[in-house]
Amino acid sequence: MVADREIGASTHTKKSSRVSSRNKRAFGGFVVAALASMTGYFLATKWKEFTTSFSDDDAAGNRRQILLVGDSLTQRGYDSKKGWVSKLASSYVRRADVINRGYSGYNTRWVLDLMKRKPKLFVKKPTLVVVFLGANDAAVNHKREYAVPLEEYVKNMREILNLYKNVPRIVITPPPIIEKDRVQHAMETTAFDTPDRLYQHTEKYAVAAEKVAREMGVGVADAFDTFEKLGGGDLSAYFSDGLHFSEKGEEVVYALIVETIKHTYPWIASEKLSLDAPLHGELAE
């Protein structure tokens, strides 16, 4: 098959370039983080002051809200009790509502347009915003109509994040792609025998997402790198079709976002937020 030849020819390149790519990402992240550290610290301090007072107001009135903006990787996070969005919502029960604005198939261009045309769909004053986009922007071959050029992706990500300038924000990078599983998916669901996503191409978007977040001084949950460190080179167990998460993959994303919140914005961790109403035992005393 065409896909087999393409994937076979690229295997050695992927393996030999992976370490180099990871080293470049680490060095680039260090440089960008150093440049943004003072700004990031200042913003985090101000955000903490803002969020603390805002949370106190919420505890006395409306419940806090955590806004998730993404594609199918976010939308599907509610598909089961083990989905990463479901688990996040459960961890914040009676403390904050988790608002899922994941739109299957959407890229940053379409999400940004929706946010501008229908702003009421999105939370006006969230306690936290999580942006998880890029998997569709990086589409290729028979899904290229979903693709967004890397330069535009960066611009769109900045614009989406800037819609919530005075709010703590976290960017989740798009996860790695398992090309052989995407080929199998294409053969089972379409007339094509080529993958609609490529590992190395998606990695470029993951690197760009991380860079945007660090330059803007917001949190980063590096899903691409996190999954890369799992599975001993075979990540099939973490994905249902080489792109979307299995239950095992959902667990990884949930753990990653919780850890990122605790590390970047510890005052927003679920255990740090007060309940919005007394426990029944207190009322029964």
Side-chain angles (χ1 to χ4, degrees):
M1 292 181 190
V2 175
D4 292 336
R5 290 199 297 272
E6 291 176 348
I7 295 172
S10 65
T11 301
H12 177 73
T13 303
K14 289 178 192 171
K15 290 181 178 178
S16 62
S17 66
R18 190 171 297 171
V19 174
S20 174
S21 176
R22 188 176 292 168
N23 288 339
K24 288 179 181 178
R25 291 176 67 196
F27 178 73
F30 173 79
V31 172
V32 173
L35 292 174
S37 60
M38 292 184 66
T39 301
Y41 177 79
F42 173 78
L43 290 175
T45 302
K46 292 301 180 184
W47 281 337
K48 184 174 182 180
E49 295 174 357
F50 169 80
T51 307
T52 300
S53 61
F54 183 66
S55 296
D56 289 342
D57 291 340
D58 280 356
N62 295 325
R63 183 177 290 180
R64 310 168 190 90
Q65 295 177 309
I66 295 173
L67 174 63
L68 311 181
V69 180
D71 48 37
S72 60
L73 298 179
T74 298
Q75 179 180 313
R76 291 189 178 196
Y78 260 150
D79 279 0
S80 73
K81 291 182 179 180
K82 293 186 177 180
W84 75 271
V85 177
S86 296
K87 291 174 68 67
L88 190 67
S90 179
S91 72
Y92 278 94
V93 69
R94 295 184 62 170
R95 291 176 168 85
D97 287 335
V98 175
I99 311 300
N100 187 337
R101 291 296 179 266
Y103 293 89
S104 180
Y106 273 52
N107 54 39
T108 54
R109 182 188 300 157
W110 298 340
V111 168
L112 180 58
D113 176 68
L114 182 64
M115 295 178 81
K116 289 180 176 179
R117 286 190 299 104
K118 297 186 177 182
K120 290 184 179 180
L121 282 174
F122 299 84
V123 180
K124 187 176 181 180
K125 293 183 178 180
T127 300
L128 173 68
V129 176
V130 178
V131 180
F132 191 4
L133 291 163
N136 294 316
D137 297 73
V140 296
N141 294 331
H142 55 280
K143 287 293 183 71
R144 58 184 175 273
E145 65 270 20
Y146 293 82
V148 170
L150 189 60
E151 296 77 10
E152 183 187 347
Y153 171 72
V154 168
K155 177 178 176 293
N156 292 342
M157 286 291 288
R158 286 184 176 279
E159 195 165 348
I160 290 170
L161 291 167
N162 276 330
L163 291 175
Y164 293 95
K165 286 184 178 179
N166 296 320
V167 176
R169 295 155 291 175
I170 291 174
V171 171
I172 306 179
T173 66
I177 297 298
I178 306 174
E179 293 181 18
K180 63 180 179 64
D181 291 347
R182 291 312 293 169
V183 171
Q184 184 65 32
H185 177 75
M187 293 175 64
E188 292 175 354
T189 60
T190 73
F192 299 93
D193 63 356
T194 54
D196 57 3
R197 309 290 193 287
L198 296 173
Y199 173 93
Q200 287 183 308
H201 188 59
T202 299
E203 185 177 22
K204 295 176 183 178
Y205 286 75
V207 171
E210 179 185 11
K211 184 179 179 183
V212 166
R214 296 200 185 281
E215 287 178 346
M216 296 183 70
V218 305
V220 181
D222 194 346
F224 193 99
D225 191 61
T226 297
F227 278 104
E228 269 291 272
K229 293 175 180 176
L230 300 172
D234 184 6
L235 300 177
S236 295
Y238 297 95
F239 296 87
S240 61
D241 57 9
L243 170 62
H244 300 99
F245 304 121
S246 64
E247 288 189 352
K248 193 172 182 180
E250 297 278 359
E251 290 278 356
V252 172
V253 178
Y254 169 69
L256 175 62
I257 191 62
V258 168
E259 179 60 28
T260 304
I261 292 172
K262 289 181 178 180
H263 177 74
T264 313
Y265 308 112
W267 60 93
I268 307 178
S270 60
E271 64 272 17
K272 297 293 185 179
L273 298 181
S274 60
L275 295 174
D276 60 5
L279 296 172
H280 63 83
E282 298 172 13
L283 300 176
E285 290 179 354

